[in-house]
């Protein structure tokens, strides 16, 4: 504080004048802002998507209130996240472009913010009112507005006015012109109350247009965070130190061109990890403002305001006042002219203790590892590399960290947050180190790793050996893994301590622990329950339950009532109950229909001549030979039969005396046939149950051996055998056997004792959709016979040669197709 009584008169005049000037300027500025705030804001047209927040008005009268004016009847929700904060969410409302946030706020209000956010997939406008002191506010809808009643401000006692200060300055004696300038520092400086350290992550919000997204993390205090980027896939990781996750939704689908989704999880008991899955490598900016952490992408990076610099009172340079200027009469009505000019040439500079805050807009590498106090677990806290190996899956769980194990990992290495445990190649994510050791003691090397990584390491007494390695930029977890495996060692994690021992000892301890846990788990009283089955057989289910039952279980089957009586440990009963419910369900049924189509097409064409001649040389008829011997000669030729088929035309030619006769006949025949046989056996059965249907006759065969006659029967039937399997995809897999046997009547085989049997058969396995038809087999057989019967040499005579040969054309086409059609029976 400045003691006014002990100051010289000149100093008192300068001090009073400076305070008066600042008061007048503040009053005029407040009056100007108040007039501008009372002017009605232009009402923009409602947006196409819904209502619009057109104005925010503050009434500082005896009943202070805040009025949110909208273009229609508003729908809103109100909440108080903290005692000094009140939030209004205007559903389906956008912020007008001309919206002005008022600055003439009452003393009870520190700030008013209006932001467009996306929450649960819906766009809304959020108005946040921050209070100077904790208070309970209420909001109510009044027409096209929402009114928020504010607490009243207690009236302050009026302080003595300094309106007469100019007159006092005018009557004071003149000061010396060469009075040195002095610097006066205001006595009172406003100090901001620091926020407590954040303990809870309350909300994750997104706002902004596409490609200009802004993500805001709301906590309950000052935020301590670490942000870094990982690639393949591209994502931004933000670790909030000392903060517990209280966000209800673990995954928020953003579907923005820059940010695809936001994932939140409790990485460690005192670290909450927020992962933003990015598209490409966009520029970003992270800014902590009080209890908020804002992350901007794309065009929003340039719009994000830098944090305000600390408020430090600037020194005021005072210029000496001449006597003539002080005694000069003031013009009436001109308040500024009644006050001497102060600090016209003063310059404002940033205090030297203020530092500029630069936010990187390019990919940031994770911070280098820092030594941690002994006793702090390093799993999950080691620095992740900026580039993740390509073997990592795009949607890997970046929130998990190694948990304490009770069994050794044979040949394993220390697992970190980026470690992928799989049958493939191991991925090491430790910080690269370089080692050049020769015959170094193994225990000393392990202690060196403990110092480098901050691990708590306990070495068993039986661990001995030496280390000779030459590593250059090898991840430290890989180096430790190789060194342990070289000496037939492994490790287990017990809490935050990594214990190193031989493989044999760790395996024995793990086996003993498993046996002990098994005995403790089985040493409980048994519970007896009964299950009555509806569809499954109790004997079949009993065989399934024995595979999952404990050694103490007893399973009794009652075949009469189809029940199971089980005495088992309670921990096993729930698994058995689930198994019984999954198998005791109605079995689906399917109808299988087969169609056997047989088509036989025949064609027969035959033609030719049958002819012969007779003659006689008889003297009685005047045709004798003129010889004594032979005096009579009879001759005949044929008949020459070259005409298969039916007689068509016959000729008998003879001379007058009948001594020469010629008989000629034309035989011809042609036939064509088409036979179509369709057999359609049909059978219905349950899933995975064989079914068979058969129709036809049995042919008896008689055999005689050693004077004993035996009669056997052979099936000449149509038979369908099928075993279906119904899949969840609506298809049916079938093992099919189709057979058709029939007697070949009219066919005689030399040496055969009975009737020949003609067989058609198909066996296969195939999958057909429900109601679909598939061809499972087919046979196509063609027989073409073109035969001739002819007389040698004479058939070659042109034209007349046809009398010495026959024509026989016989064609036969046989076709067999087998179709199958399954239909799943739909129960009502």
């Amino acid at each position: 504080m400045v003691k006014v009584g002990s100051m010289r008169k000149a100093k008192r005049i300068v001090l009073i004048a400076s305070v008066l000037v600042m008061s007048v300027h503040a009053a005029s500025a407040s009056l100007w802002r108040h007039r501008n705030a009372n002017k009605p804001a232009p009402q923009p047209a409602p947006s196409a998507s819904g209502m619009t927040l057109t104005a925010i008005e503050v009434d500082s009268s005896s009943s202070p209130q805040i009025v949110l004016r909208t273009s229609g009847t508003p729908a809103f929700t109100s909440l108080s996240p903290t005692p000094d904060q009140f939030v209004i969410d205007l559903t389906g409302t956008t912020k007008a472009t001309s919206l002005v946030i008022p600055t003439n706020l009452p003393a009870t209000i520190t700030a008013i913010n209006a932001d467009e956010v996306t929450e649960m997939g819906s766009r809304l406008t959020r108005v946040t009112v921050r209070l100077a002191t904790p208070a309970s506010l209420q909001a109510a809808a009044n027409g096209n507005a929402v009114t928020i009643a504010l607490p009243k401000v207690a009236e302050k006692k009026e302080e003595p006015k300094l309106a007469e200060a100019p007159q006092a300055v005018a009557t004071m004696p003149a000061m010396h012109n060469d009075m040195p300038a002095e610097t006066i520092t205001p006595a009172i400086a406003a100090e901001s109350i620091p926020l407590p350290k954040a303990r809870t992550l309350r909300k994750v919000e997104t706002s902004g247009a596409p490609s200009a997204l802004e993500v805001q993390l709301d906590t309950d205090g000052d935020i301590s965070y670490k942000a870094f980027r990982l690639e393949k896939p591209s994502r931004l990781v933000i670790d909030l130190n000392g903060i517990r996750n209280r966000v209800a939704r673990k995954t928020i689908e953003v579907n923005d061109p820059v940010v695809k989704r936001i994932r939140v999880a409790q990485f460690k008991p005192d670290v909450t990890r927020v992962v933003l899955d990015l598209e490409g490598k966009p520029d970003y900016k992270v800014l902590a403002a009080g209890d908020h952490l804002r992350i901007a992408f794309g065009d929003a990076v340039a719009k994000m305001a830098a944090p305000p610099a600390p408020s430090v009172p600037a020194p005021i340079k005072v210029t000496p006042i001449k006597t003539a200027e002080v005694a000069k009469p003031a013009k009436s009505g001109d308040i500024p002219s009644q006050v001497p000019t102060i600090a016209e040439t003063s310059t404002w500079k940033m205090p030297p203790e203020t530092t500029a805050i630069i936010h990187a807009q390019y990919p940031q590498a994770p911070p280098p590892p820092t030594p941690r106090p002994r006793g702090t677990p390093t799993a999950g806290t080691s620095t992740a590399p900026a580039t993740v190996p390509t073997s990592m899956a795009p949607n890997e769980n970046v929130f998990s960290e190694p948990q304490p194990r009770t069994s050794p990992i044979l040949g394993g290495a220390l697992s970190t947050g980026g470690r992928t445990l799989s049958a493939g190649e191991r991925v090491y994510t430790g910080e690269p180190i370089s080692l050049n050791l020769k015959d170094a003691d193994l225990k000393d090397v392990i202690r060196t790793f403990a110092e480098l990584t901050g691990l708590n390491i306990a070495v068993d007494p039986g661990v001995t050996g030496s280390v000779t390695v030459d590593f250059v930029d090898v991840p430290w977890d890989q180096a430790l893994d190789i060194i342990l495996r070289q000496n037939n060692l492994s490790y287990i994690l017990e809490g935050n301590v990594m214990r190193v021992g031989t493989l044999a000892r760790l395996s024995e301890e793990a086996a003993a622990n498993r046996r002990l846990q098994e005995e403790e788990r089985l040493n409980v009283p048994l519970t007896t329950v009964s299950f009555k089955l509806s569809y499954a057989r109790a004997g079949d289910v009993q065989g399934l339950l024995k595979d999952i039952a404990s050694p103490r279980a007893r399973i009794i089957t009652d075949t009469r009532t189809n029940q199971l009586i089980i005495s088992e440990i309670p921990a096993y009963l729930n698994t058995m109950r689930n198994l019984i419910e999954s198998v005791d369900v109605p079995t689906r049924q399917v109808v299988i229909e087969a169609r056997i189509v047989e088509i036989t097409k025949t064609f027969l064409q035959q033609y030719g001549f049958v002819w012969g001649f007779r003659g006689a040389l008889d003297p009685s008829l005047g045709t004798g030979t003129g010889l004594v011997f032979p005096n009579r000669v009879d001759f005949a030729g044929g008949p020459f039969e070259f005409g298969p088929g039916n007689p068509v035309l016959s000729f008998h030619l003879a001379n007058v005396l009948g001594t020469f006769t010629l008989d000629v006949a034309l035989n011809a025949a042609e036939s064509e046939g088409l036979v179509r046989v369709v057999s359609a056996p049909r059978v219905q059965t349950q899933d995975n149950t064989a079914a068979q249907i058969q129709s036809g006759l049995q042919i008896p065969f008689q055999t005689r051996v050693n004077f004993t006659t035996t009669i056997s029967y052979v099936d000449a039937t149509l038979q369908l055998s099928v075993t279906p399997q119904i899949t969840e995809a609506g298809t049916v897999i079938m093992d099919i056997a189709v057979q058709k046997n029939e007697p070949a009547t009219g066919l005689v085989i030399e040496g055969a004792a009975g009737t020949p049997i003609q067989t058609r058969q198909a066996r296969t396995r195939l999958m057909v959709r429900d109601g679909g038809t598939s061809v499972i087999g087919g046979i196509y057989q063609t027989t073409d016979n073109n035969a001739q019967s002819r007389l040698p040499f004479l058939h070659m005579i042109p034209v007349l040669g046809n009398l010495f040969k026959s024509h026989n054309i016989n064609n036969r086409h046989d076709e067999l197709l087998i179709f199958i059609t399954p239909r799943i029976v739909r129960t009502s």
Side-chain angles (χ1 to χ4, degrees), residues 9-10 12-14 16 165-175 323 326-327:
K9 292 183 180 180
R12 286 200 299 268
I13 295 173
V14 172
I16 294 173
Q167 297 179 2
V169 174
T171 56
M172 288 182 180
M175 295 182 292
T323 306
V326 175

Side-chain angles (χ1 to χ4, degrees), residues 532-576:
K532 187 171 183 180
L533 308 181
S534 299
Y535 305 100
R537 290 189 179 92
D540 298 339
V541 179
Q542 182 186 22
L544 299 176
L545 295 178
K546 287 182 178 179
D547 294 336
I548 63 173
S550 68
R552 298 182 57 192
R554 294 186 59 193
I555 304 175
I556 304 173
T557 303
D558 185 4
T559 57
R560 184 182 65 85
T561 59
N562 199 30
Q563 287 192 92
L564 289 172
I565 303 171
I566 304 174
S567 294
E568 180 58 290
I569 298 173
Y572 284 78
L573 282 177
N574 190 32
T575 303
M576 291 186 171

Side-chain angles (χ1 to χ4, degrees), residues 15 52 85 183 292 298 331 467 507 646:
L15 176 61
T52 304
Q85 187 176 355
T183 301
H292 301 289
K331 299 180 181 178
V467 178
S507 300
N646 303 321

Side-chain angles (χ1 to χ4, degrees), residues 641-658:
E641 296 183 358
F642 297 103
N646 303 321
V648 177
L649 186 63
S650 300
F651 295 95
H652 300 278
L653 306 176
N655 57 6
V656 175
L657 298 178

Side-chain angles (χ1 to χ4, degrees), residues 3-14 179-180 182:
K3 296 181 180 181
V4 178
S6 61
M7 299 175 61
R8 292 182 300 175
K9 292 183 180 180
K11 291 184 179 181
R12 286 200 299 268
I13 295 173
V14 172
M179 180 184 294
E182 297 184 7

